[in-house]
Amino acid sequence: MNLYGFAKGLVKSVLTPAYRIRIVGKEHIPEEGGVLICANHINVLDPPVVGITSPRPVSFMAKEELFKMPVLKKLLPNLNAFPVKRGMSDREALRKGLSQLKEGNVVGLFPEGTRSKDGVIGKGLAGAGFFALRSDAAVVPCAIIGPYKISKRLKVVYGKPINMAELKERKASAAEVTDIIMNEIKTLSDNHR
């Protein structure tokens, strides 16, 4: 078993009972081909929660500073994470993310770019729309519905892939596509509370 598989099993065995995680709609994640999972961001545990609830391995962008920490710089690449410089356009991270999608892998993104302090779903950054438009990946919205409190139910809801064909056909902008993705996430969240 690789490190990702081992870590997923270990984290799942801790987080699932602690937060009574319930998964809805994981059948919406295609079994093969590139997939872009776009989720809201409410807690530092969101990446591992998406990772353990997805039926396929997920790669995440992680802030570059984490890759400079002694233990993490060796660990993170083995957990399918790749670095991104925050607050600027990081062409290398964009290339890496697109390459992952084109190779038929799953990439997880939090379009808001930072955690919501009050749990309200905020505006997404255009990066999610960029990936959605530049790849042929299925774009799957995901709502993480808290709270992250021990013994309280945490729900992870995956929606049907967004129809990107018509958005590409009418030459929608990256910002417009991101807004559509965020609206889908909000709808999932509102409908499953």
Side-chain angles (χ1 to χ4, degrees):
M1 186 189 308
N2 64 14
L3 181 59
Y4 184 95
F6 172 77
K8 179 175 179 172
L10 183 64
V11 171
K12 193 173 194 170
S13 71
V14 173
L15 295 186
T16 299
Y19 296 111
R20 297 175 55 221
I21 296 174
R22 179 161 170 246
I23 310 162
V24 177
K26 72 177 172 184
E27 69 277 4
H28 295 309
I29 298 171
E31 290 179 16
E32 51 189 43
V35 178
L36 181 65
I37 295 175
C38 295
N40 59 314
H41 201 4
I42 58 173
N43 192 287
V44 71
L45 292 174
D46 292 339
V49 163
V50 170
I52 65 172
T53 58
S54 165
R56 293 175 59 191
V58 184
S59 297
F60 288 99
M61 290 184 188
K63 59 184 180 181
E64 187 183 46
E65 300 82 60
L66 296 175
F67 288 82
K68 293 177 179 161
M69 298 173 143
V71 175
L72 291 180
K73 73 178 172 188
K74 293 212 184 329
L75 191 61
L76 287 172
N78 288 308
L79 296 175
N80 296 355
F82 56 99
V84 62
K85 295 180 182 124
R86 290 184 5 155
M88 62 181 75
S89 174
D90 183 347
R91 291 183 192 279
E92 185 54 38
L94 293 175
R95 266 196 295 275
K96 177 74 174 164
L98 279 176
S99 159
Q100 288 282 328
L101 293 170
K102 285 179 179 166
E103 287 168 19
N105 297 318
V106 180
V107 173
L109 274 186
F110 299 98
E112 293 159 290
T114 189
R115 288 187 307 276
S116 168
K117 303 281 187 269
D118 56 8
V120 174
I121 295 173
K123 184 157 177 60
L125 304 172
F130 170 84
F131 282 118
L133 289 167
R134 290 285 181 94
S135 71
D136 290 324
V139 180
V140 176
C142 172
I144 302 169
I145 304 166
Y148 275 90
K149 290 196 171 131
I150 300 296
S151 295
K152 295 275 189 192
R153 178 158 319 276
L154 182 73
K155 204 184 280 188
V156 181
V157 184
Y158 292 100
K160 291 180 179 167
I162 294 168
N163 183 350
M164 288 304 302
E166 72 174 55
L167 293 171
K168 288 178 180 179
E169 194 176 299
R170 68 177 171 87
K171 299 191 176 355
S173 70
E176 188 182 349
V177 171
T178 298
D179 287 346
I180 289 166
I181 292 168
M182 295 310 296
N183 283 336
E184 289 291 323
I185 295 169
K186 186 170 184 342
T187 300
L188 287 175
S189 179
D190 291 347
N191 291 344
H192 287 87
R193 288 206 174 269

